[in-house]
Amino acid sequence: MIQPGSIIEFIDNGIFHCALVTAYTERRLRLLSHSGRELTLPEARVLSVSRELFPWDNRNAAMALLKERGEKRSSIAAGIVLDDLWAIASAEDEDCFAPEFLAELHYGAAPSDDERAAFLRAVFADPFYFKYRNSQINVNSAEQVEQLRHQREQEATRARQLEEAAQWLQRLMQGEQITTADWPDYDQCLSLLQDFALDQSADDAADLARNMLKKAGLTAPDAAHQVLLAAGIWDRDENLSLLRSDHPLVFSQESQNIAASLLEAKVEELLADPKRQDFRHLHTFTIDAEGTRDYDDALHVATVDGQVQVGIHITDVSWYVPPKSPLFSEAQERATSLYFPEGNVPMLPEELSLSVCSLIQDQVRPAFSFLFTLDEAGEIQQSRITASIICVQRQLSYREADALMESEPELKLLNRLRLKLRQNRLDKGALLLSLPDVSFDIRDRNQIGVILQPVETPARSLVAEMMIQANAMAAEYCAMREVPGLFRSQPPPRRRLLDGANNSLIDIARQRQFLSRGELTVHPKPHSGLGLNSYTTITSPIRRFLDLVMQLQLGHVLTGKGMLFSAEQCKTFAGILQQKLARAAAIKQQRHRYWILRYLEAREGERLKAMVISSNPKRVSLLLCDCLYDVDLPPNPSFPVEPGDTVRIRLTRVRPMDNTLRLEW
């Protein structure tokens, strides 16, 4: 039993404390600390007990005594070196000793109360040689000491590196130009911070990056990004959603070599193919957005014997990319090209997509031609699909085509046909959900602009209608021959709100909320949204893997080789595509939101015009009018709204880097 008046020591939060025992009851001690605080402590937590007893009735004197003894013991402990003692103790047969025995061995005589307590403090302070456990002191083996020594050296090295890294990072953030010649670990450090910025997990590498930034005084949530910005590794608007994904950003060397070799493909080889029809004499032309570099479709139209002949010509990428090519495998992994305001990530190497696979003016190209004739009433009389050879004679932008739509006979004729084809689809239940395309003007990164481009201009609608026609022809061709493939379908909307072509913005926005999810199937099914019994996509093989697969399948059937892909193979493609396209959609959605936030960033605090799309007791769905972005707010009981209402909502906080958008009524 510990006597009242004893000075005991215990550890609390890693710190040694001296206290004077004032009472002992059922293995619990009542104590007075050096600060004058009274406390209770289990006897099991006591590390040392003085032999000498001291009065405790004079509180101030007791507190002074405890303070003096604590300081004395700390001073003695600081001068204790344990390596010699360990050398002696480790030579013994025993590996566990009483603290009093080792203390006496260290001092060479019976230690005082203060010396015994100081010895224990030294053991706890440096567990290199000894470890205190269950009132005994264990002697570490030579192997344990060596392991601890190695660990300590590593920790010292790491601390030194952290300190060095912090100093260099501070200098970097102050605008200094730093190279690996100045700091050998520069590249390694930036790579570590790059990984951390993309994935702030809880592994050792993330902890190191976090400690490095903290040591440098860089504690902002986007501190790693700011460092990478200062180093010129990233820019302000780095596409983090793309970098965080597993979407491939570079092509293998093998694929690059194959793409380079295809640039030397001989026109003579193409012209010698007896199964291709030579359409180089036709007046074919492209219509695309300004700045387009990968042209994958061209048109022609002519009047012959009172009938209109139309040709939709799609570049034959399958001629360059067979199924066993590494290019095919890489296209499958990517599934689609990704287009961003700041740049693109192509599905195929640009050596192909911008060159031999692109329908460039005055260049001979392989193609698939979708041909049909119409009578004077605009009804399709006959149609066929053939592998072909074309040479585009003219390239127009949407703006140029719109300007010529009423004056140039070919365009005027195609425009009348476009209206007829669209009306046919509307009569079959098609939905026209033609919201303007949202694009961004990022030339001035300090003032992001939003461009709302109408999609129902004559030229844009013309091209869209022709591509729908070609895709539908391909799907029908396969369906009639029971050829499996990759078909797009869509069940009817859960609720139909639209009928016809002239629909308002609110009607279109509301209808979108009731659309059924599209499906990708091996055999054709109706596509309600397009008003078609069967549908696929084959018109963008440069940028869509689905279209490339369908070109390969269609090409084999057309040339009498039979099916290239079985239904099971097509099912496998569909499964892969659904996964990869979901990834691509997430990347594009996140990046679109980022640029929306960058646009809104400059308008924080303003009231924005919004249209109410729907309202229920839990949320109000709105569409920001100037950028066509969907947002939600909880209902405001004092401000009831109805679908179609136009309101003003306040933009309270916008932080693009951490994806923050806050609005209020």
PDB file of all heavy atoms in Angstrom, residues 412-432:
ATOM      1  N   LYS A 412     -30.712  24.244-101.406  1.00  0.00           N
ATOM      2  CA  LYS A 412     -32.140  24.514-101.341  1.00  0.00           C
ATOM      3  C   LYS A 412     -32.948  23.230-101.457  1.00  0.00           C
ATOM      4  O   LYS A 412     -33.930  23.011-100.734  1.00  0.00           O
ATOM      5  CB  LYS A 412     -32.522  25.499-102.452  1.00  0.00           C
ATOM      6  CG  LYS A 412     -33.925  26.072-102.318  1.00  0.00           C
ATOM      7  CD  LYS A 412     -34.156  27.151-103.362  1.00  0.00           C
ATOM      8  CE  LYS A 412     -35.541  27.783-103.192  1.00  0.00           C
ATOM      9  NZ  LYS A 412     -35.751  28.891-104.171  1.00  0.00           N
ATOM     10  N   LEU A 413     -32.510  22.365-102.369  1.00  0.00           N
ATOM     11  CA  LEU A 413     -33.184  21.081-102.554  1.00  0.00           C
ATOM     12  C   LEU A 413     -33.037  20.204-101.313  1.00  0.00           C
ATOM     13  O   LEU A 413     -33.994  19.585-100.845  1.00  0.00           O
ATOM     14  CB  LEU A 413     -32.605  20.382-103.778  1.00  0.00           C
ATOM     15  CG  LEU A 413     -33.231  19.035-104.178  1.00  0.00           C
ATOM     16  CD1 LEU A 413     -34.729  19.178-104.404  1.00  0.00           C
ATOM     17  CD2 LEU A 413     -32.539  18.501-105.446  1.00  0.00           C
ATOM     18  N   LEU A 414     -31.822  20.133-100.756  1.00  0.00           N
ATOM     19  CA  LEU A 414     -31.591  19.330 -99.560  1.00  0.00           C
ATOM     20  C   LEU A 414     -32.370  19.870 -98.369  1.00  0.00           C
ATOM     21  O   LEU A 414     -32.843  19.095 -97.530  1.00  0.00           O
ATOM     22  CB  LEU A 414     -30.097  19.291 -99.232  1.00  0.00           C
ATOM     23  CG  LEU A 414     -29.245  18.335-100.071  1.00  0.00           C
ATOM     24  CD1 LEU A 414     -27.765  18.536 -99.753  1.00  0.00           C
ATOM     25  CD2 LEU A 414     -29.636  16.884 -99.811  1.00  0.00           C
ATOM     26  N   ASN A 415     -32.527  21.176 -98.302  1.00  0.00           N
ATOM     27  CA  ASN A 415     -33.273  21.760 -97.194  1.00  0.00           C
ATOM     28  C   ASN A 415     -34.750  21.371 -97.256  1.00  0.00           C
ATOM     29  O   ASN A 415     -35.376  21.077 -96.238  1.00  0.00           O
ATOM     30  CB  ASN A 415     -33.116  23.282 -97.195  1.00  0.00           C
ATOM     31  CG  ASN A 415     -33.616  23.903 -95.906  1.00  0.00           C
ATOM     32  OD1 ASN A 415     -33.436  23.370 -94.812  1.00  0.00           O
ATOM     33  ND2 ASN A 415     -34.271  25.054 -96.023  1.00  0.00           N
ATOM     34  N   ARG A 416     -35.332  21.373 -98.475  1.00  0.00           N
ATOM     35  CA  ARG A 416     -36.720  20.918 -98.617  1.00  0.00           C
ATOM     36  C   ARG A 416     -36.836  19.448 -98.223  1.00  0.00           C
ATOM     37  O   ARG A 416     -37.794  19.035 -97.569  1.00  0.00           O
ATOM     38  CB  ARG A 416     -37.198  21.124-100.051  1.00  0.00           C
ATOM     39  CG  ARG A 416     -37.417  22.582-100.438  1.00  0.00           C
ATOM     40  CD  ARG A 416     -38.395  22.698-101.600  1.00  0.00           C
ATOM     41  NE  ARG A 416     -37.952  21.965-102.765  1.00  0.00           N
ATOM     42  CZ  ARG A 416     -37.219  22.489-103.746  1.00  0.00           C
ATOM     43  NH1 ARG A 416     -36.822  23.769-103.675  1.00  0.00           N
ATOM     44  NH2 ARG A 416     -36.869  21.757-104.790  1.00  0.00           N
ATOM     45  N   LEU A 417     -35.831  18.665 -98.614  1.00  0.00           N
ATOM     46  CA  LEU A 417     -35.826  17.256 -98.247  1.00  0.00           C
ATOM     47  C   LEU A 417     -35.701  17.080 -96.741  1.00  0.00           C
ATOM     48  O   LEU A 417     -36.375  16.229 -96.145  1.00  0.00           O
ATOM     49  CB  LEU A 417     -34.671  16.547 -98.954  1.00  0.00           C
ATOM     50  CG  LEU A 417     -34.432  15.086 -98.576  1.00  0.00           C
ATOM     51  CD1 LEU A 417     -35.653  14.239 -98.905  1.00  0.00           C
ATOM     52  CD2 LEU A 417     -33.199  14.554 -99.299  1.00  0.00           C
ATOM     53  N   ARG A 418     -34.880  17.901 -96.132  1.00  0.00           N
ATOM     54  CA  ARG A 418     -34.705  17.848 -94.674  1.00  0.00           C
ATOM     55  C   ARG A 418     -36.027  18.047 -93.959  1.00  0.00           C
ATOM     56  O   ARG A 418     -36.358  17.325 -93.004  1.00  0.00           O
ATOM     57  CB  ARG A 418     -33.680  18.918 -94.262  1.00  0.00           C
ATOM     58  CG  ARG A 418     -33.382  18.996 -92.804  1.00  0.00           C
ATOM     59  CD  ARG A 418     -34.138  20.047 -92.002  1.00  0.00           C
ATOM     60  NE  ARG A 418     -33.991  21.396 -92.516  1.00  0.00           N
ATOM     61  CZ  ARG A 418     -34.501  22.469 -91.900  1.00  0.00           C
ATOM     62  NH1 ARG A 418     -35.182  22.341 -90.761  1.00  0.00           N
ATOM     63  NH2 ARG A 418     -34.378  23.683 -92.435  1.00  0.00           N
ATOM     64  N   LEU A 419     -36.806  19.017 -94.404  1.00  0.00           N
ATOM     65  CA  LEU A 419     -38.094  19.291 -93.779  1.00  0.00           C
ATOM     66  C   LEU A 419     -39.052  18.115 -93.936  1.00  0.00           C
ATOM     67  O   LEU A 419     -39.807  17.777 -93.020  1.00  0.00           O
ATOM     68  CB  LEU A 419     -38.707  20.559 -94.376  1.00  0.00           C
ATOM     69  CG  LEU A 419     -37.943  21.861 -94.089  1.00  0.00           C
ATOM     70  CD1 LEU A 419     -38.524  23.015 -94.896  1.00  0.00           C
ATOM     71  CD2 LEU A 419     -37.966  22.187 -92.607  1.00  0.00           C
ATOM     72  N   LYS A 420     -38.999  17.472 -95.130  1.00  0.00           N
ATOM     73  CA  LYS A 420     -39.861  16.327 -95.383  1.00  0.00           C
ATOM     74  C   LYS A 420     -39.476  15.147 -94.488  1.00  0.00           C
ATOM     75  O   LYS A 420     -40.347  14.509 -93.874  1.00  0.00           O
ATOM     76  CB  LYS A 420     -39.764  15.938 -96.856  1.00  0.00           C
ATOM     77  CG  LYS A 420     -40.519  14.663 -97.238  1.00  0.00           C
ATOM     78  CD  LYS A 420     -42.016  14.803 -97.011  1.00  0.00           C
ATOM     79  CE  LYS A 420     -42.738  13.541 -97.476  1.00  0.00           C
ATOM     80  NZ  LYS A 420     -44.208  13.612 -97.197  1.00  0.00           N
ATOM     81  N   LEU A 421     -38.181  14.848 -94.388  1.00  0.00           N
ATOM     82  CA  LEU A 421     -37.720  13.734 -93.557  1.00  0.00           C
ATOM     83  C   LEU A 421     -38.045  13.973 -92.084  1.00  0.00           C
ATOM     84  O   LEU A 421     -38.451  13.049 -91.372  1.00  0.00           O
ATOM     85  CB  LEU A 421     -36.216  13.531 -93.744  1.00  0.00           C
ATOM     86  CG  LEU A 421     -35.758  13.008 -95.109  1.00  0.00           C
ATOM     87  CD1 LEU A 421     -34.233  13.015 -95.194  1.00  0.00           C
ATOM     88  CD2 LEU A 421     -36.290  11.596 -95.354  1.00  0.00           C
ATOM     89  N   ARG A 422     -37.878  15.194 -91.644  1.00  0.00           N
ATOM     90  CA  ARG A 422     -38.181  15.500 -90.250  1.00  0.00           C
ATOM     91  C   ARG A 422     -39.667  15.346 -89.968  1.00  0.00           C
ATOM     92  O   ARG A 422     -40.060  14.796 -88.938  1.00  0.00           O
ATOM     93  CB  ARG A 422     -37.716  16.917 -89.901  1.00  0.00           C
ATOM     94  CG  ARG A 422     -37.865  17.227 -88.419  1.00  0.00           C
ATOM     95  CD  ARG A 422     -37.335  18.589 -88.061  1.00  0.00           C
ATOM     96  NE  ARG A 422     -38.202  19.665 -88.557  1.00  0.00           N
ATOM     97  CZ  ARG A 422     -38.069  20.946 -88.196  1.00  0.00           C
ATOM     98  NH1 ARG A 422     -37.108  21.302 -87.352  1.00  0.00           N
ATOM     99  NH2 ARG A 422     -38.877  21.866 -88.688  1.00  0.00           N
ATOM    100  N   GLN A 423     -40.491  15.828 -90.908  1.00  0.00           N
ATOM    101  CA  GLN A 423     -41.930  15.707 -90.703  1.00  0.00           C
ATOM    102  C   GLN A 423     -42.361  14.245 -90.674  1.00  0.00           C
ATOM    103  O   GLN A 423     -43.245  13.870 -89.890  1.00  0.00           O
ATOM    104  CB  GLN A 423     -42.684  16.450 -91.806  1.00  0.00           C
ATOM    105  CG  GLN A 423     -44.190  16.561 -91.547  1.00  0.00           C
ATOM    106  CD  GLN A 423     -44.498  17.249 -90.224  1.00  0.00           C
ATOM    107  OE1 GLN A 423     -44.006  18.341 -89.945  1.00  0.00           O
ATOM    108  NE2 GLN A 423     -45.334  16.609 -89.406  1.00  0.00           N
ATOM    109  N   ASN A 424     -41.730  13.422 -91.513  1.00  0.00           N
ATOM    110  CA  ASN A 424     -42.038  11.990 -91.490  1.00  0.00           C
ATOM    111  C   ASN A 424     -41.766  11.393 -90.112  1.00  0.00           C
ATOM    112  O   ASN A 424     -42.539  10.574 -89.609  1.00  0.00           O
ATOM    113  CB  ASN A 424     -41.211  11.254 -92.544  1.00  0.00           C
ATOM    114  CG  ASN A 424     -41.687  11.527 -93.964  1.00  0.00           C
ATOM    115  OD1 ASN A 424     -42.805  11.998 -94.170  1.00  0.00           O
ATOM    116  ND2 ASN A 424     -40.849  11.224 -94.945  1.00  0.00           N
ATOM    117  N   ARG A 425     -40.658  11.800 -89.502  1.00  0.00           N
ATOM    118  CA  ARG A 425     -40.332  11.275 -88.177  1.00  0.00           C
ATOM    119  C   ARG A 425     -41.287  11.814 -87.120  1.00  0.00           C
ATOM    120  O   ARG A 425     -41.697  11.081 -86.198  1.00  0.00           O
ATOM    121  CB  ARG A 425     -38.891  11.625 -87.808  1.00  0.00           C
ATOM    122  CG  ARG A 425     -37.861  10.897 -88.656  1.00  0.00           C
ATOM    123  CD  ARG A 425     -36.448  10.988 -88.065  1.00  0.00           C
ATOM    124  NE  ARG A 425     -35.975  12.330 -87.890  1.00  0.00           N
ATOM    125  CZ  ARG A 425     -35.847  12.940 -86.712  1.00  0.00           C
ATOM    126  NH1 ARG A 425     -36.188  12.299 -85.584  1.00  0.00           N
ATOM    127  NH2 ARG A 425     -35.403  14.184 -86.643  1.00  0.00           N
ATOM    128  N   LEU A 426     -41.656  13.097 -87.251  1.00  0.00           N
ATOM    129  CA  LEU A 426     -42.614  13.670 -86.304  1.00  0.00           C
ATOM    130  C   LEU A 426     -43.955  12.948 -86.377  1.00  0.00           C
ATOM    131  O   LEU A 426     -44.603  12.707 -85.348  1.00  0.00           O
ATOM    132  CB  LEU A 426     -42.795  15.164 -86.574  1.00  0.00           C
ATOM    133  CG  LEU A 426     -41.637  16.080 -86.161  1.00  0.00           C
ATOM    134  CD1 LEU A 426     -41.869  17.493 -86.676  1.00  0.00           C
ATOM    135  CD2 LEU A 426     -41.474  16.104 -84.643  1.00  0.00           C
ATOM    136  N   ASP A 427     -44.351  12.607 -87.583  1.00  0.00           N
ATOM    137  CA  ASP A 427     -45.617  11.878 -87.753  1.00  0.00           C
ATOM    138  C   ASP A 427     -45.577  10.507 -87.091  1.00  0.00           C
ATOM    139  O   ASP A 427     -46.621   9.954 -86.736  1.00  0.00           O
ATOM    140  CB  ASP A 427     -45.934  11.724 -89.243  1.00  0.00           C
ATOM    141  CG  ASP A 427     -46.233  13.061 -89.922  1.00  0.00           C
ATOM    142  OD1 ASP A 427     -46.510  14.039 -89.197  1.00  0.00           O
ATOM    143  OD2 ASP A 427     -46.157  13.125 -91.168  1.00  0.00           O
ATOM    144  N   LYS A 428     -44.381   9.968 -86.927  1.00  0.00           N
ATOM    145  CA  LYS A 428     -44.214   8.664 -86.296  1.00  0.00           C
ATOM    146  C   LYS A 428     -43.918   8.777 -84.799  1.00  0.00           C
ATOM    147  O   LYS A 428     -43.564   7.792 -84.156  1.00  0.00           O
ATOM    148  CB  LYS A 428     -43.101   7.887 -86.982  1.00  0.00           C
ATOM    149  CG  LYS A 428     -43.430   7.536 -88.441  1.00  0.00           C
ATOM    150  CD  LYS A 428     -42.244   6.869 -89.116  1.00  0.00           C
ATOM    151  CE  LYS A 428     -42.558   6.564 -90.580  1.00  0.00           C
ATOM    152  NZ  LYS A 428     -41.386   5.976 -91.293  1.00  0.00           N
ATOM    153  N   GLY A 429     -44.048  10.004 -84.262  1.00  0.00           N
ATOM    154  CA  GLY A 429     -43.908  10.171 -82.816  1.00  0.00           C
ATOM    155  C   GLY A 429     -42.573  10.697 -82.335  1.00  0.00           C
ATOM    156  O   GLY A 429     -42.313  10.696 -81.120  1.00  0.00           O
ATOM    157  N   ALA A 430     -41.700  11.143 -83.236  1.00  0.00           N
ATOM    158  CA  ALA A 430     -40.393  11.660 -82.827  1.00  0.00           C
ATOM    159  C   ALA A 430     -40.549  12.895 -81.944  1.00  0.00           C
ATOM    160  O   ALA A 430     -41.514  13.658 -82.069  1.00  0.00           O
ATOM    161  CB  ALA A 430     -39.536  11.995 -84.043  1.00  0.00           C
ATOM    162  N   LEU A 431     -39.589  13.079 -81.054  1.00  0.00           N
ATOM    163  CA  LEU A 431     -39.532  14.251 -80.193  1.00  0.00           C
ATOM    164  C   LEU A 431     -38.366  15.140 -80.623  1.00  0.00           C
ATOM    165  O   LEU A 431     -37.238  14.658 -80.763  1.00  0.00           O
ATOM    166  CB  LEU A 431     -39.338  13.849 -78.727  1.00  0.00           C
ATOM    167  CG  LEU A 431     -40.528  13.192 -78.028  1.00  0.00           C
ATOM    168  CD1 LEU A 431     -40.085  12.612 -76.687  1.00  0.00           C
ATOM    169  CD2 LEU A 431     -41.652  14.188 -77.829  1.00  0.00           C
ATOM    170  N   LEU A 432     -38.638  16.418 -80.834  1.00  0.00           N
ATOM    171  CA  LEU A 432     -37.574  17.370 -81.160  1.00  0.00           C
ATOM    172  C   LEU A 432     -37.218  18.156 -79.910  1.00  0.00           C
ATOM    173  O   LEU A 432     -37.964  19.034 -79.484  1.00  0.00           O
ATOM    174  CB  LEU A 432     -38.022  18.312 -82.283  1.00  0.00           C
ATOM    175  CG  LEU A 432     -38.303  17.676 -83.641  1.00  0.00           C
ATOM    176  CD1 LEU A 432     -38.639  18.753 -84.673  1.00  0.00           C
ATOM    177  CD2 LEU A 432     -37.111  16.850 -84.117  1.00  0.00           C
TER     178      LEU A 432
END
